[in-house]
């Protein structure tokens, strides 16, 4: 059975494996604070259907309460340990929308149907900014069914990345951001290509670029918005020539036949 991956923009992907639909960092907004969606339509209602949604960390462009509220009642939701304590709105969603929230940390695993989801570390600031003292770990996830699909969330390169993540067939790697400059704990196209060489999956999909941009900054380093996907394709061919890279447009899908 092929594994299907759809990129809806930013870090939001749908991974369909073994008849289980997994949604990563759901973000369905046209505008988020000072960010405006500049490319790709807001995902349709059909994109919001999931058996389980994965949240990598507490930043508002990854844990977006209005987008989580758009999930169907009863949807399973995996969030970093401590997230409901840090974000009261998450507890209200649990009660009002009947989201089945499970708090997880690196080393945990959760089974949904015929899919096992492993929780792995990420190198990123896990706090809810700009307010709140509570910390939660930033996470990545490996979805294991017919394929092993790694969703990195937001992360920098870190020692032991390949060992922590383990063998994977597909890597969904962030290659950019939402502003002119990337801070600590992020992958740009070059660092993502180096991560690809370490992880050595069979194929990869670049994400987390070319979707949102600060209002009024269209002319400030616009290549940081437009170029990361193509740059990653070029650098990945040099750093990991054996990996097939699928650069998707917003709303585009790829079906992967993975034979282990």
């Amino acid at each position: 059975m092929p594994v299907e991956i759809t990129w809806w923009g930013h870090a939001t992907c749908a991974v369909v494996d073994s008849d289980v639909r997994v949604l990563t960092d759901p973000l369905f907004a046209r505008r988020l604070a000072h960010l405006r969606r500049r490319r790709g339509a807001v995902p349709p209602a059909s994109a919001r259907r999931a058996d389980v949604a994965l949240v990598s960390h507490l930043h508002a462009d990854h844990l977006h309460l209005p987008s989580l509220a758009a999930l169907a009642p009863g949807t399973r939701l995996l969030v970093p340990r401590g997230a409901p304590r840090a974000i009261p709105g998450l507890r209200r969603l649990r009660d009002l929308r009947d989201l089945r929230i499970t708090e997880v940390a690196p080393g945990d695993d959760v089974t949904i149907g015929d899919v096992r989801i492993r929780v792995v570390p990420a190198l990123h600031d896990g706090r809810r900014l700009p307010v709140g003292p509570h910390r939660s770990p930033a996470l990545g996830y490996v979805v294991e069914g017919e394929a092993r699909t790694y969703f990195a969330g937001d992360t920098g390169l870190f020692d032991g990345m390949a060992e922590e993540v383990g063998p994977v067939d597909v890597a969904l790697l962030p290659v950019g951001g939402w502003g002119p400059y990337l801070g600590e704990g992020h992958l740009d196209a070059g660092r993502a290509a180096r991560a690809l060489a370490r992880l050595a999956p069979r194929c990869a999909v670049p994400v987390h670029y070319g979707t949102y941009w600060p209002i009024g900054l269209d002319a400030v380093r616009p290549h940081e918005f437009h170029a990361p996907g193509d740059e990653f394709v070029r650098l990945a061919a040099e750093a990991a020539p054996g990996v097939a890279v699928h650069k998707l447009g917003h709303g585009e899908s790829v079906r992967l036949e993975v034979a282990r």
Side-chain angles (χ1 to χ4, degrees):
M1 179 185 298
V3 174
E4 183 176 85
I5 295 169
T6 305
W7 181 49
W8 291 110
H10 203 53
T12 305
C13 297
V15 179
V16 181
D17 189 332
S18 305
D19 291 325
V20 175
R21 184 176 176 87
V22 180
L23 198 60
T24 66
D25 284 349
L27 183 57
F28 308 131
R30 190 175 305 280
R31 179 173 173 178
L32 172 63
H34 64 299
L35 304 180
R36 174 169 54 92
R37 191 176 181 108
R38 289 191 56 207
R39 184 181 289 169
V42 173
S46 59
R48 306 170 193 187
R49 178 178 57 82
D51 297 296
V52 59
L54 312 178
V55 172
S56 63
H57 62 288
L58 304 193
H59 293 172
D61 58 322
H62 293 259
L63 195 164
H64 184 244
L65 291 173
S67 295
L68 296 180
L71 299 175
T75 300
R76 187 78 175 269
L77 183 62
L78 306 189
V79 302
R81 186 168 296 162
R85 178 169 177 249
I87 305 174
L90 197 56
R91 301 198 297 271
R92 288 194 292 272
L93 276 184
R94 178 181 57 198
D95 298 334
L96 295 175
R97 296 292 297 166
D98 192 30
L99 296 181
R100 296 185 295 143
I101 297 176
T102 301
E103 300 179 48
V104 294
D108 291 344
D109 63 77
V110 177
T111 299
I112 311 287
D114 291 330
V115 164
R116 174 189 179 214
I117 299 173
R118 290 194 297 109
V119 186
V120 299
L123 180 64
H124 193 68
D125 186 344
R127 293 175 297 171
R128 181 71 159 188
L129 300 175
V131 297
H134 304 301
R135 287 183 175 271
S136 289
L139 308 174
Y141 296 91
V142 180
V143 179
E144 297 186 346
E146 294 289 328
R148 296 163 296 195
T149 301
Y150 170 47
F151 169 62
D154 265 359
T155 188
L157 281 170
F158 58 91
D159 292 339
M161 174 184 264
E163 292 76 16
E164 292 283 2
V165 173
V168 292
D169 302 298
V170 186
L172 311 179
L173 292 179
V175 301
W178 51 253
Y181 302 98
L182 281 174
E184 293 291 327
H186 290 87
L187 297 178
D188 60 10
R191 290 191 290 272
R194 288 162 55 196
L196 198 64
R198 296 185 187 186
L199 296 166
R202 299 185 182 193
C203 46
V205 176
V207 302
H208 203 278
Y209 76 99
T211 307
Y212 292 92
W213 203 248
I215 295 169
L217 293 185
D218 289 9
V220 180
R221 297 174 64 87
H223 63 285
E224 297 289 355
F225 178 84
H226 293 286
D230 289 331
E231 187 73 354
F232 174 71
V233 171
R234 181 181 70 82
L235 295 174
E238 298 174 359
V243 179
V245 176
H246 302 273
K247 178 176 166 283
L248 303 178
H250 291 74
E252 287 187 349
S253 303
V254 61
R255 291 168 67 86
L256 304 169
E257 294 281 356
V258 179
R260 293 194 211 163

